[in-house]
Amino acid sequence: MKITRWLVFVGVIAIGYGGYQMLPSWYNPFTPLMLNDPPGLVTRWKLKAITDAQCQTLLAEANQQNLISTQSVAPSGGACPLTDVVQVRDFGTVKLSNRFLASCRLALSSALYVEQQVKPLSRRMLNSEVTRIDHLGSFACRNIYHRADGPLSEHATANALDISGFRLQNGKQISVLKGWAHPQNQPFLQTLLANSCQYYGNGLGPNYNAAHANHFHLGMRGYGLCR
């Protein structure tokens, strides 16, 4: 009887190990993150857990694949010192209203977000390609909500980007301020904000408070709060 139980136990372990070996890499939390990993809980965990060296390697690959174009920036001092930041020039075919400073994690997360969400959602929901992203900036040496006292904003470390709108190949312009309540544009914007949780630590929009009525705040702090 004991031998039978032991054989069953060994069989279960063998089947489990075999199944583990057959898991696609994006379902396996122990395999390195890859740029083509689809969004999901495991991918989000990997993106959150990457080391600085892994982030730099992936960002270099993203540049090679034309998902993003970045340039290294020299460290800076002052009240809000910056190290290991880059200047984001564009997201391949998707241009920017202005270049912006970003930490490696913000740049990498944004590249994946644009490639896996912004581009396909605009094609599917708006029948046009996004050609430009309008934004209000990323780095700003200040406290949260510009308060005199309190914790530093994510913007003080170039760990957040404020997106204000999108421009399409068909000439259409969609702003967060006007489009959030527009019946044709609202589904696109709401889906984009909801899906941002798979790439950023937090995504805040018009429903969060009045301070975000005209933009999406996409930041690296936290573990997936998007509203």
Side-chain angles (χ1 to χ4, degrees), residues 127-223:
N127 297 312
S128 187
E129 300 281 347
V130 168
T131 58
R132 192 175 104 167
I133 293 175
D134 295 327
H135 67 89
L136 304 177
S138 57
F139 174 68
C141 186
R142 61 174 176 81
N143 294 333
I144 293 177
Y145 297 124
H146 299 274
R147 292 169 180 159
D149 299 307
L152 283 175
S153 166
E154 291 179 288
H155 291 290
T157 53
N159 267 307
L161 174 66
D162 290 345
I163 292 179
S164 59
F166 304 88
R167 305 196 183 198
L168 307 182
Q169 194 173 51
N170 61 12
K172 187 175 183 179
Q173 297 183 29
I174 300 175
S175 72
V176 174
L177 180 62
K178 296 180 179 179
W180 191 254
H182 192 283
Q184 291 182 335
N185 300 329
Q186 187 182 62
F188 171 69
L189 292 174
Q190 288 188 342
T191 304
L192 274 184
L193 182 60
N195 291 0
S196 69
C197 273
Q198 309 202 52
Y199 305 86
Y200 302 94
N202 65 89
L204 308 178
N207 286 351
Y208 184 66
N209 61 20
H212 296 85
N214 66 341
H215 69 278
F216 294 158
H217 170 95
L218 305 177
M220 303 309 300
R221 188 182 294 166
Y223 295 90

Side-chain angles (χ1 to χ4, degrees), residues 13-27:
I13 294 297
I15 292 172
Y17 180 76
Y20 169 79
Q21 291 291 93
M22 295 175 63
L23 273 178
S25 62
W26 55 87
Y27 287 141

Side-chain angles (χ1 to χ4, degrees), residues 116-134:
Q116 297 182 356
Q117 301 297 329
V118 176
K119 289 182 178 181
L121 284 173
S122 69
R123 288 192 290 265
R124 186 170 78 244
M125 302 181 75
L126 303 174
N127 297 312
S128 187
E129 300 281 347
V130 168
T131 58
R132 192 175 104 167
I133 293 175
D134 295 327

